Amino acid sequence: YEYVNIKLDKVGGLTEAIRMVQFAQDRGIGIMVGCMIGTSLGMAPAFLLAPYASVIDLDAPQTLSSDRIPPITYADGVMQPPPPELWG
């Protein structure tokens, strides 16, 4: 495989996702960070993996009719850092 698509909802959370990033990097496998349908709170931890990925797809909150307050914002299709208040 050339890439692995890491989705926090499927791998068991941020800790397991970090292990997957390390595993992929050790083997020269490219990294994509993706998501399932979820709120901004679900995307916030995945945002932390973005520096390790060459493909990022974390736009699920944009497909929801309502999201958490405050939401993650997107400017010109680019996810902005999660607001500190989002974390609770």
Side-chain angles (χ1 to χ4, degrees):
Y1 297 95
E2 293 181 33
Y3 280 82
V4 61
N5 184 358
I6 300 172
K7 298 181 180 186
L8 272 67
D9 288 352
K10 289 190 172 188
V11 302
L14 185 57
T15 300
E16 288 302 316
I18 291 169
R19 287 185 185 137
M20 288 185 73
V21 166
Q22 293 169 340
F23 184 91
Q25 287 178 326
D26 290 347
R27 288 155 181 79
I29 299 170
I31 298 165
M32 173 180 179
V33 177
C35 64
M36 306 300 287
I37 296 296
T39 66
S40 289
L41 186 58
M43 299 310 114
F47 180 84
L48 301 174
L49 299 179
Y52 305 101
S54 55
V55 180
I56 303 162
D57 180 19
L58 298 174
D59 61 352
Q62 294 184 310
T63 67
L64 301 175
S65 60
S66 64
D67 194 4
R68 298 185 62 97
I69 304 294
I72 288 174
T73 58
Y74 296 80
D76 297 321
V78 178
M79 182 181 183
Q80 302 304 299
E85 302 83 10
L86 179 65
W87 299 95

